Amino acid sequence: MNDTKHLNKLKMKPFDFILIVSLMLASFSPLLFFVNRHTTGQIAQLRVNNKRIKEFDLSKDQVFTYFDKLDGDQNKITVRDGKIAIIDANCTDQICVRKGFISKTGQTIVCLPHRLVIEIMPTNEKQTEDKDRIVDY
């Protein structure tokens, strides 16, 4: 008989159920703010030794070959369907080629042996002033 009194005290009340459900829903609210923060970029920038070499308009399909006469570094860059990639390079590790196509703001392709970086640049002022943007390596 003592056990039934104890069980009656432990029963869930309607307000408890509402509180639990609302807390569960609130736990997913950060997803609304952080999902899809990276937008598709329209411009990619090629830098070598931190010097801007070329900007690519990602809306125009094109092929560009970067060649450094001093070192013999060569990277073949392709823009297709709003995405950019290094499709061929004469470096030994080929990490830049394996990265594949990128298209979202802040994404990068890095070729360390050639000191080359391709980065998708933000297109609006708010993103340009964002000093805390995430860079994907």
Side-chain angles (χ1 to χ4, degrees):
M1 201 157 167
N2 219 1
D3 290 336
T4 43
K5 283 185 179 182
H6 184 63
L7 288 176
N8 285 338
K9 289 182 182 178
L10 293 177
K11 281 189 179 178
M12 210 155 110
K13 312 234 181 331
F15 182 72
D16 295 338
F17 180 75
I18 293 170
L19 181 64
I20 290 170
V21 170
S22 62
L23 288 173
M24 286 176 62
L25 291 174
S27 70
F28 291 102
S29 64
L31 291 176
L32 299 173
F33 297 108
F34 297 113
V35 173
N36 280 338
R37 279 202 74 186
H38 289 286
T39 58
T40 302
Q42 296 297 316
I43 296 171
Q45 192 178 82
L46 169 65
R47 293 188 306 271
V48 178
N49 284 332
N50 212 21
K51 291 181 184 175
R52 187 175 13 184
I53 304 297
K54 182 172 174 57
E55 283 194 350
F56 298 92
D57 181 357
L58 297 181
S59 64
K60 298 176 185 171
D61 291 356
Q62 55 190 299
V63 176
F64 174 78
T65 301
Y66 167 76
F67 182 73
D68 186 348
K69 294 176 186 175
L70 296 175
D71 298 329
D73 298 343
Q74 185 172 339
N75 296 76
K76 187 173 181 183
I77 301 162
T78 298
V79 177
R80 182 176 60 223
D81 301 326
K83 299 176 181 179
I84 189 167
I86 296 177
I87 60 167
D88 186 38
N90 66 349
C91 58
T92 56
D93 59 11
Q94 297 290 301
I95 292 173
C96 56
V97 176
R98 286 184 292 200
K99 176 71 176 186
F101 284 88
I102 61 172
S103 64
K104 300 207 183 294
T105 302
Q107 285 185 312
T108 59
I109 300 173
V110 178
C111 183
L112 283 178
H114 296 169
R115 299 168 309 280
L116 179 142
V117 176
I118 297 174
E119 181 179 3
I120 307 293
M121 303 304 289
T123 53
N124 63 28
E125 285 182 37
K126 181 179 183 286
Q127 289 176 318
T128 305
E129 293 173 4
D130 186 8
K131 295 177 183 172
D132 295 330
R133 76 175 189 263
I134 298 172
V135 178
D136 173 34
Y137 285 102

